[in-house]
Coordinates of all heavy atoms in Angstrom, one line a residue:
M1 N 42.8 -5.9 -39.3 CA 42.3 -5.6 -37.9 C 42.8 -4.2 -37.6 O 44.0 -3.9 -37.7 CB 42.9 -6.6 -37.0 CG 42.5 -6.3 -35.5 SD 43.2 -7.5 -34.4 CE 42.2 -8.9 -34.6
S2 N 42.0 -3.3 -37.2 CA 42.4 -2.0 -36.9 C 43.0 -1.9 -35.5 O 42.8 -2.8 -34.6 CB 41.2 -1.0 -36.9 OG 40.3 -1.2 -35.9
S3 N 43.8 -0.9 -35.3 CA 44.5 -0.8 -34.0 C 43.5 -0.5 -32.8 O 43.7 -0.8 -31.7 CB 45.5 0.3 -34.0 OG 45.0 1.6 -34.3
Q4 N 42.4 0.2 -33.2 CA 41.4 0.5 -32.2 C 40.7 -0.8 -31.7 O 40.5 -0.9 -30.5 CB 40.3 1.4 -32.7 CG 39.3 1.9 -31.7 CD 38.3 2.9 -32.3 OE1 38.1 3.0 -33.5 NE2 37.6 3.6 -31.4
S5 N 40.3 -1.7 -32.5 CA 39.7 -2.9 -32.0 C 40.7 -3.8 -31.3 O 40.3 -4.4 -30.3 CB 39.1 -3.7 -33.2 OG 40.1 -4.2 -34.1
L6 N 42.0 -3.8 -31.7 CA 43.0 -4.5 -30.9 C 43.1 -3.9 -29.5 O 43.3 -4.6 -28.5 CB 44.3 -4.5 -31.7 CG 45.5 -5.2 -31.0 CD1 45.2 -6.6 -30.8 CD2 46.8 -5.0 -31.7
G7 N 43.1 -2.6 -29.4 CA 43.2 -1.9 -28.1 C 42.1 -2.3 -27.2 O 42.3 -2.5 -26.0
L8 N 40.8 -2.3 -27.8 CA 39.7 -2.7 -26.9 C 39.8 -4.1 -26.5 O 39.5 -4.5 -25.4 CB 38.4 -2.5 -27.7 CG 38.0 -1.0 -28.0 CD1 36.8 -0.9 -28.9 CD2 37.8 -0.3 -26.7
K9 N 40.3 -5.0 -27.4 CA 40.5 -6.4 -27.0 C 41.5 -6.5 -25.9 O 41.4 -7.3 -24.9 CB 40.9 -7.2 -28.2 CG 39.7 -7.4 -29.2 CD 40.1 -8.2 -30.4 CE 39.0 -8.3 -31.3 NZ 39.3 -9.0 -32.5
L10 N 42.6 -5.8 -26.0 CA 43.7 -5.8 -25.0 C 43.1 -5.3 -23.6 O 43.5 -5.9 -22.6 CB 44.9 -5.0 -25.4 CG 45.7 -5.6 -26.5 CD1 46.8 -4.7 -26.9 CD2 46.4 -6.9 -26.0
I11 N 42.3 -4.3 -23.7 CA 41.7 -3.8 -22.4 C 40.8 -4.8 -21.8 O 40.9 -5.1 -20.6 CB 40.9 -2.5 -22.7 CG1 41.9 -1.3 -23.0 CG2 40.1 -2.1 -21.5 CD1 41.3 -0.1 -23.5
A12 N 40.0 -5.5 -22.6 CA 39.1 -6.5 -22.1 C 39.9 -7.7 -21.5 O 39.5 -8.2 -20.4 CB 38.2 -7.0 -23.2
V13 N 40.9 -8.1 -22.2 CA 41.7 -9.2 -21.7 C 42.4 -8.8 -20.4 O 42.5 -9.6 -19.4 CB 42.8 -9.7 -22.7 CG1 43.8 -10.7 -22.1 CG2 42.0 -10.4 -23.9
G14 N 43.0 -7.6 -20.3 CA 43.6 -7.2 -19.1 C 42.6 -7.1 -17.9 O 42.9 -7.4 -16.8
F15 N 41.4 -6.6 -18.2 CA 40.4 -6.5 -17.2 C 40.0 -7.9 -16.7 O 39.9 -8.1 -15.5 CB 39.2 -5.8 -17.8 CG 38.1 -5.5 -16.7 CD1 38.2 -4.6 -15.8 CD2 36.9 -6.3 -16.7 CE1 37.2 -4.3 -14.8 CE2 35.9 -6.1 -15.8 CZ 36.1 -5.1 -14.8
A16 N 39.9 -8.8 -17.6 CA 39.5 -10.2 -17.2 C 40.6 -10.8 -16.4 O 40.4 -11.5 -15.4 CB 39.3 -11.0 -18.5
A17 N 41.9 -10.5 -16.7 CA 43.0 -11.0 -16.0 C 43.1 -10.4 -14.6 O 43.5 -11.1 -13.6 CB 44.3 -10.7 -16.7
L18 N 42.6 -9.2 -14.4 CA 42.6 -8.5 -13.1 C 41.5 -9.0 -12.2 O 41.6 -9.3 -11.1 CB 42.5 -7.0 -13.3 CG 43.8 -6.3 -13.7 CD1 43.4 -4.8 -14.0 CD2 44.9 -6.4 -12.7
V19 N 40.3 -9.2 -12.8 CA 39.1 -9.5 -12.1 C 38.8 -11.0 -12.0 O 38.2 -11.5 -11.0 CB 37.9 -8.8 -12.7 CG1 36.6 -9.1 -12.1 CG2 38.1 -7.3 -12.7
G20 N 39.2 -11.8 -13.0 CA 39.0 -13.2 -13.0 C 39.3 -14.0 -11.7 O 38.5 -14.7 -11.2
P21 N 40.5 -13.8 -11.2 CA 40.9 -14.6 -10.0 C 39.9 -14.2 -8.8 O 39.6 -15.1 -8.0 CB 42.3 -14.1 -9.7 CG 42.8 -13.7 -11.0 CD 41.7 -13.1 -11.7
Y22 N 39.5 -13.0 -8.7 CA 38.6 -12.6 -7.6 C 37.2 -13.3 -7.8 O 36.6 -13.7 -6.8 CB 38.5 -11.1 -7.5 CG 39.8 -10.5 -7.1 CD1 40.5 -9.8 -8.1 CD2 40.3 -10.6 -5.9 CE1 41.7 -9.2 -7.7 CE2 41.5 -10.0 -5.5 CZ 42.2 -9.3 -6.5 OH 43.4 -8.7 -6.1
L23 N 36.8 -13.4 -9.0 CA 35.5 -14.0 -9.3 C 35.6 -15.5 -9.0 O 34.6 -16.1 -8.4 CB 35.1 -13.8 -10.7 CG 34.7 -12.3 -11.1 CD1 34.4 -12.2 -12.6 CD2 33.5 -11.8 -10.2
V24 N 36.7 -16.2 -9.3 CA 36.8 -17.6 -9.0 C 36.9 -17.8 -7.5 O 36.2 -18.7 -7.0 CB 38.1 -18.1 -9.7 CG1 38.4 -19.5 -9.2 CG2 37.9 -18.1 -11.2
T25 N 37.6 -17.0 -6.8 CA 37.7 -17.1 -5.4 C 36.3 -16.9 -4.7 O 35.9 -17.6 -3.8 CB 38.6 -16.0 -4.8 OG1 39.9 -16.2 -5.4 CG2 38.8 -16.1 -3.3
L26 N 35.5 -15.9 -5.2 CA 34.2 -15.7 -4.7 C 33.3 -16.9 -5.0 O 32.6 -17.3 -4.1 CB 33.6 -14.4 -5.4 CG 32.1 -14.1 -5.0 CD1 32.0 -13.7 -3.6 CD2 31.5 -13.1 -5.9
Y27 N 33.4 -17.4 -6.2 CA 32.6 -18.6 -6.6 C 32.9 -19.8 -5.6 O 32.0 -20.5 -5.1 CB 32.9 -19.0 -8.0 CG 32.2 -20.3 -8.4 CD1 30.8 -20.2 -8.7 CD2 32.8 -21.5 -8.5 CE1 30.1 -21.4 -9.1 CE2 32.2 -22.6 -8.9 CZ 30.8 -22.6 -9.2 OH 30.2 -23.7 -9.5
L28 N 34.2 -20.0 -5.4 CA 34.6 -21.2 -4.5 C 34.2 -20.9 -3.1 O 34.0 -21.9 -2.3 CB 36.0 -21.5 -4.7 CG 36.5 -21.9 -6.1 CD1 38.0 -22.1 -6.2 CD2 35.8 -23.3 -6.4
S29 N 34.3 -19.7 -2.6 CA 34.1 -19.4 -1.2 C 32.6 -19.5 -0.8 O 32.3 -19.7 0.4 CB 34.7 -18.1 -0.8 OG 34.0 -17.0 -1.4
L30 N 31.7 -19.2 -1.7 CA 30.3 -19.1 -1.3 C 29.7 -20.5 -1.1 O 28.8 -20.7 -0.2 CB 29.4 -18.4 -2.4 CG 29.6 -16.9 -2.4 CD1 28.7 -16.3 -3.4 CD2 29.2 -16.3 -1.0
G31 N 30.0 -21.5 -1.9 CA 29.4 -22.8 -1.8 C 28.0 -22.9 -2.3 O 27.4 -21.8 -2.7
P32 N 27.4 -24.0 -2.3 CA 26.0 -24.2 -2.8 C 25.0 -23.4 -2.1 O 24.1 -22.8 -2.7 CB 25.7 -25.7 -2.7 CG 27.0 -26.3 -2.2 CD 27.9 -25.3 -1.8
I33 N 25.0 -23.3 -0.8 CA 24.0 -22.6 -0.1 C 24.1 -21.1 -0.3 O 23.1 -20.4 -0.5 CB 24.1 -22.9 1.5 CG1 23.7 -24.4 1.7 CG2 23.2 -22.0 2.3 CD1 23.8 -24.8 3.1
G34 N 25.4 -20.6 -0.4 CA 25.6 -19.2 -0.7 C 25.1 -18.8 -2.0 O 24.4 -17.8 -2.2
W35 N 25.3 -19.7 -3.0 CA 24.8 -19.4 -4.4 C 23.3 -19.5 -4.4 O 22.6 -18.8 -5.2 CB 25.5 -20.3 -5.4 CG 26.8 -19.8 -5.7 CD1 28.0 -20.4 -5.3 CD2 27.2 -18.6 -6.3 NE1 29.1 -19.6 -5.6 CE2 28.6 -18.5 -6.3 CE3 26.5 -17.6 -6.9 CZ2 29.3 -17.4 -6.8 CZ3 27.2 -16.5 -7.5 CH2 28.6 -16.4 -7.4
M36 N 22.7 -20.4 -3.6 CA 21.2 -20.4 -3.6 C 20.7 -19.1 -3.0 O 19.7 -18.6 -3.5 CB 20.7 -21.6 -2.8 CG 20.9 -22.9 -3.5 SD 20.5 -24.4 -2.5 CE 19.0 -24.0 -1.6
L37 N 21.3 -18.6 -2.0 CA 20.9 -17.3 -1.4 C 21.1 -16.1 -2.4 O 20.2 -15.3 -2.5 CB 21.7 -17.0 -0.1 CG 21.4 -17.9 1.1 CD1 22.3 -17.7 2.2 CD2 19.9 -17.8 1.5
V38 N 22.2 -16.1 -3.1 CA 22.4 -15.1 -4.1 C 21.4 -15.2 -5.2 O 20.8 -14.2 -5.6 CB 23.9 -15.2 -4.7 CG1 24.0 -14.3 -5.9 CG2 24.9 -14.8 -3.6
G39 N 21.2 -16.4 -5.7 CA 20.2 -16.6 -6.8 C 18.8 -16.2 -6.3 O 18.0 -15.5 -7.0
G40 N 18.4 -16.6 -5.1 CA 17.1 -16.3 -4.6 C 16.9 -14.8 -4.4 O 15.8 -14.3 -4.7
S41 N 17.9 -14.1 -4.0 CA 17.8 -12.7 -3.8 C 17.6 -12.0 -5.1 O 16.9 -11.0 -5.2 CB 19.1 -12.1 -3.1 OG 19.3 -12.7 -1.9
I42 N 18.3 -12.5 -6.2 CA 18.2 -11.9 -7.5 C 16.8 -12.1 -8.0 O 16.2 -11.2 -8.6 CB 19.3 -12.4 -8.4 CG1 20.6 -11.9 -8.0 CG2 19.0 -12.0 -9.9 CD1 21.8 -12.5 -8.7
V43 N 16.2 -13.3 -7.8 CA 14.9 -13.6 -8.2 C 13.9 -12.7 -7.5 O 13.0 -12.1 -8.1 CB 14.5 -15.1 -8.0 CG1 13.0 -15.4 -8.1 CG2 15.3 -16.0 -8.9
V44 N 14.0 -12.5 -6.2 CA 13.1 -11.7 -5.5 C 13.2 -10.2 -6.0 O 12.2 -9.5 -6.1 CB 13.4 -11.8 -3.9 CG1 12.6 -10.7 -3.2 CG2 13.0 -13.1 -3.4
A45 N 14.4 -9.7 -6.2 CA 14.6 -8.4 -6.7 C 13.9 -8.3 -8.1 O 13.3 -7.2 -8.4 CB 16.1 -8.1 -6.8
G46 N 14.1 -9.3 -8.9 CA 13.4 -9.2 -10.2 C 11.9 -9.2 -10.1 O 11.3 -8.4 -10.9
I47 N 11.3 -9.9 -9.2 CA 9.9 -9.9 -9.0 C 9.4 -8.5 -8.6 O 8.4 -8.0 -9.0 CB 9.5 -11.0 -8.0 CG1 9.6 -12.4 -8.7 CG2 8.0 -10.8 -7.6 CD1 9.5 -13.5 -7.7
V48 N 10.2 -7.9 -7.6 CA 9.8 -6.6 -7.1 C 9.9 -5.6 -8.2 O 9.0 -4.7 -8.4 CB 10.7 -6.2 -5.9 CG1 10.6 -4.7 -5.6 CG2 10.4 -7.1 -4.7
V49 N 10.9 -5.6 -9.0 CA 11.1 -4.6 -10.1 C 10.0 -4.8 -11.1 O 9.4 -3.9 -11.6 CB 12.5 -4.8 -10.8 CG1 12.5 -4.0 -12.1 CG2 13.5 -4.3 -9.8
S50 N 9.6 -6.1 -11.4 CA 8.6 -6.4 -12.4 C 7.2 -5.8 -11.9 O 6.4 -5.3 -12.7 CB 8.4 -7.9 -12.7 OG 9.6 -8.3 -13.3
L51 N 7.0 -6.0 -10.6 CA 5.7 -5.5 -10.1 C 5.6 -4.0 -10.1 O 4.6 -3.4 -10.3 CB 5.5 -6.1 -8.7 CG 5.2 -7.6 -8.6 CD1 5.1 -8.0 -7.1 CD2 3.9 -7.9 -9.3
R52 N 6.8 -3.4 -9.8 CA 6.8 -1.9 -9.8 C 6.6 -1.3 -11.2 O 6.1 -0.2 -11.3 CB 8.1 -1.4 -9.2 CG 8.1 -1.6 -7.7 CD 9.3 -0.9 -7.1 NE 9.2 0.5 -7.4 CZ 9.2 1.5 -6.5 NH1 9.3 1.2 -5.2 NH2 9.2 2.7 -6.8
E53 N 7.1 -2.1 -12.2 CA 7.0 -1.6 -13.6 C 5.6 -2.0 -14.2 O 5.4 -1.6 -15.4 CB 8.1 -2.1 -14.4 CG 9.4 -1.5 -14.0 CD 10.6 -2.1 -14.8 OE1 10.4 -3.1 -15.5 OE2 11.7 -1.6 -14.7
S54 N 4.8 -2.7 -13.5 CA 3.5 -3.2 -14.1 C 2.6 -1.9 -14.3 O 2.8 -0.9 -13.7 CB 2.9 -4.2 -13.3 OG 2.4 -3.6 -12.0
A55 N 1.6 -2.1 -15.2 CA 0.8 -1.0 -15.6 C -0.1 -0.5 -14.4 O -0.4 0.7 -14.4 CB -0.2 -1.4 -16.7
G56 N -0.4 -1.3 -13.5 CA -1.3 -0.9 -12.4 C -0.6 -0.1 -11.3 O -1.2 0.4 -10.4
Y57 N 0.7 -0.1 -11.3 CA 1.5 0.5 -10.2 C 1.7 2.0 -10.4 O 2.1 2.3 -11.5 CB 2.8 -0.2 -10.0 CG 3.6 0.3 -8.8 CD1 3.3 -0.2 -7.5 CD2 4.6 1.3 -8.9 CE1 4.0 0.3 -6.4 CE2 5.2 1.8 -7.8 CZ 5.0 1.3 -6.6 OH 5.7 1.7 -5.5
D58 N 1.4 2.8 -9.5 CA 1.5 4.2 -9.6 C 2.4 4.7 -8.5 O 2.1 4.7 -7.4 CB 0.2 4.9 -9.6 CG 0.2 6.4 -9.9 OD1 1.3 6.9 -10.3 OD2 -0.8 7.1 -9.7
D59 N 3.7 5.2 -8.9 CA 4.6 5.6 -7.9 C 4.4 7.0 -7.4 O 5.1 7.4 -6.5 CB 6.0 5.4 -8.5 CG 7.1 5.3 -7.4 OD1 6.8 5.0 -6.3 OD2 8.3 5.6 -7.8
V60 N 3.5 7.7 -8.0 CA 3.3 9.1 -7.6 C 2.4 9.1 -6.4 O 1.7 8.2 -6.1 CB 2.5 9.8 -8.8 CG1 2.2 11.3 -8.5 CG2 3.3 9.7 -10.1
D61 N 2.5 10.2 -5.6 CA 1.7 10.3 -4.4 C 0.2 10.1 -4.8 O -0.2 10.7 -5.8 CB 1.9 11.6 -3.7 CG 3.3 11.8 -3.1 OD1 3.9 10.8 -2.8 OD2 3.7 12.9 -3.0
H62 N -0.5 9.4 -4.1 CA -1.9 9.1 -4.4 C -2.7 10.3 -4.0 O -3.2 10.3 -2.8 CB -2.4 7.8 -3.8 CG -1.6 6.6 -4.3 ND1 -1.9 6.1 -5.5 CD2 -0.6 5.9 -3.8 CE1 -1.1 5.1 -5.8 NE2 -0.3 4.9 -4.7
L63 N -2.9 11.2 -4.9 CA -3.7 12.4 -4.6 C -5.2 12.0 -4.8 O -5.5 11.0 -5.4 CB -3.4 13.5 -5.5 CG -1.9 14.0 -5.5 CD1 -1.6 15.0 -6.6 CD2 -1.6 14.6 -4.1
E64 N -6.1 12.9 -4.2 CA -7.5 12.6 -4.4 C -7.8 12.8 -5.9 O -7.4 13.8 -6.5 CB -8.3 13.6 -3.6 CG -9.8 13.3 -3.5 CD -10.5 14.2 -2.5 OE1 -9.9 14.6 -1.5 OE2 -11.7 14.4 -2.8
R65 N -8.6 11.8 -6.4 CA -8.9 11.8 -7.9 C -10.4 11.7 -8.0 O -11.1 11.3 -7.2 CB -8.2 10.7 -8.6 CG -6.7 10.8 -8.3 CD -5.7 10.1 -9.2 NE -5.9 9.9 -10.6 CZ -5.3 10.7 -11.5 NH1 -4.5 11.7 -11.1 NH2 -5.4 10.4 -12.8
T66 N -10.8 12.2 -9.2 CA -12.3 12.1 -9.5 C -12.4 11.8 -11.0 O -11.4 11.8 -11.7 CB -13.0 13.4 -9.2 OG1 -14.4 13.3 -9.4 CG2 -12.5 14.6 -10.0
N67 N -13.6 11.6 -11.5 CA -13.8 11.4 -12.9 C -14.2 12.7 -13.6 O -15.0 13.5 -13.0 CB -14.9 10.4 -13.1 CG -14.5 9.0 -12.7 OD1 -13.4 8.7 -12.5 ND2 -15.5 8.1 -12.6
C68 N -13.7 12.9 -14.8 CA -14.1 14.1 -15.6 C -15.6 13.9 -16.0 O -16.1 12.9 -16.3 CB -13.3 14.1 -16.9 SG -13.8 15.4 -18.1
E69 N -16.3 15.0 -15.9 CA -17.8 15.0 -16.1 C -18.0 14.8 -17.6 O -19.1 14.3 -18.0 CB -18.4 16.3 -15.6 CG -18.4 16.4 -14.1 CD -18.9 17.8 -13.6 OE1 -19.4 18.6 -14.5 OE2 -18.7 18.0 -12.4
S70 N -17.1 15.2 -18.5 CA -17.3 15.1 -19.9 C -16.9 13.7 -20.5 O -17.7 13.1 -21.2 CB -16.5 16.2 -20.7 OG -16.9 17.4 -20.3
C71 N -15.7 13.3 -20.2 CA -15.2 12.0 -20.8 C -15.1 10.9 -19.8 O -14.9 9.7 -20.2 CB -13.9 12.3 -21.5 SG -12.5 12.6 -20.4
G72 N -15.1 11.1 -18.5 CA -15.0 10.1 -17.5 C -13.6 9.7 -17.2 O -13.4 8.7 -16.4
A73 N -12.6 10.3 -17.7 CA -11.2 10.0 -17.4 C -10.9 10.4 -15.9 O -11.5 11.3 -15.3 CB -10.3 10.7 -18.3
R74 N -10.0 9.6 -15.3 CA -9.6 9.9 -13.9 C -8.6 11.1 -13.9 O -7.6 11.1 -14.7 CB -8.8 8.7 -13.3 CG -9.7 7.5 -13.1 CD -10.7 7.6 -12.1 NE -10.2 7.6 -10.8 CZ -10.8 8.0 -9.7 NH1 -12.1 8.3 -9.8 NH2 -10.2 8.0 -8.5
I75 N -9.0 12.1 -13.2 CA -8.2 13.3 -13.1 C -8.0 13.7 -11.6 O -8.7 13.2 -10.8 CB -8.8 14.5 -13.9 CG1 -10.2 14.8 -13.4 CG2 -8.8 14.2 -15.4 CD1 -10.8 16.0 -14.0
D76 N -7.1 14.6 -11.3 CA -6.9 15.1 -10.0 C -8.2 15.9 -9.6 O -8.8 16.6 -10.4 CB -5.7 16.1 -9.9 CG -4.4 15.3 -10.1 OD1 -4.4 14.1 -9.8 OD2 -3.4 16.0 -10.4
A77 N -8.5 15.8 -8.3 CA -9.8 16.4 -7.9 C -9.7 18.0 -7.9 O -10.7 18.7 -8.1 CB -10.1 16.0 -6.4
D78 N -8.5 18.5 -7.8 CA -8.3 20.0 -7.9 C -7.9 20.5 -9.2 O -7.6 21.7 -9.4 CB -7.2 20.4 -6.8 CG -5.9 19.8 -7.1 OD1 -5.8 18.9 -7.9 OD2 -4.9 20.2 -6.4
A79 N -8.0 19.7 -10.3 CA -7.7 20.1 -11.6 C -8.7 21.1 -12.2 O -9.9 20.9 -11.9 CB -7.6 18.9 -12.6
D80 N -8.3 22.1 -12.9 CA -9.2 23.0 -13.5 C -9.7 22.5 -14.9 O -10.9 22.8 -15.2 CB -8.5 24.4 -13.8 CG -8.1 25.0 -12.4 OD1 -8.8 24.8 -11.4 OD2 -7.1 25.7 -12.4
T81 N -8.9 21.8 -15.6 CA -9.3 21.2 -16.9 C -8.9 19.8 -17.0 O -7.9 19.3 -16.3 CB -8.7 22.0 -18.1 OG1 -7.2 21.9 -18.0 CG2 -9.1 23.4 -18.1
C82 N -9.6 19.0 -17.8 CA -9.3 17.6 -18.0 C -8.0 17.5 -18.9 O -8.0 18.2 -19.9 CB -10.5 16.9 -18.6 SG -10.1 15.2 -19.0
D83 N -7.1 16.6 -18.5 CA -5.9 16.4 -19.3 C -6.2 15.7 -20.6 O -5.4 15.7 -21.5 CB -4.8 15.6 -18.5 CG -4.3 16.4 -17.3 OD1 -4.4 17.6 -17.3 OD2 -3.9 15.7 -16.3
Y84 N -7.3 15.0 -20.7 CA -7.6 14.1 -21.8 C -8.5 14.8 -22.8 O -8.2 14.8 -24.0 CB -8.3 12.8 -21.3 CG -7.3 12.0 -20.4 CD1 -7.5 12.2 -19.0 CD2 -6.3 11.2 -20.9 CE1 -6.6 11.5 -18.2 CE2 -5.5 10.6 -20.1 CZ -5.6 10.7 -18.7 OH -4.7 10.0 -17.9
C85 N -9.6 15.4 -22.4 CA -10.5 16.0 -23.4 C -10.4 17.6 -23.3 O -11.0 18.2 -24.2 CB -11.9 15.6 -23.1 SG -12.7 16.2 -21.6
G86 N -9.8 18.2 -22.3 CA -9.7 19.6 -22.3 C -10.9 20.4 -21.7 O -10.9 21.6 -21.6
A87 N -11.9 19.6 -21.3 CA -13.1 20.3 -20.7 C -12.8 20.9 -19.4 O -12.0 20.4 -18.6 CB -14.2 19.3 -20.6
S88 N -13.5 22.0 -19.0 CA -13.3 22.6 -17.7 C -14.1 21.8 -16.7 O -15.1 21.3 -16.9 CB -13.7 24.0 -17.6 OG -14.2 24.6 -18.7
C89 N -13.5 21.7 -15.5 CA -14.1 20.9 -14.5 C -14.6 21.7 -13.4 O -14.1 22.7 -13.0 CB -13.1 19.9 -14.0 SG -12.5 18.8 -15.2

């Protein structure tokens, strides 16, 4: 066993000893309804993040868009050239 891995294990055990009692206290103080609220909040946050990361979501300002006359791709209305086929618009 190298001294580096022992050092990391000692740090992890020390951290657990420092934080563990606070986590147990938090667990006991919330009770079942508190944990249902925490779990429900995490589920709602996960749904929101999943929806934002879906393919149809566009976080960019919705500028006016049009179709390229050559390839039909959606491009900005004020674009000089198509990003996909390079044709002038």
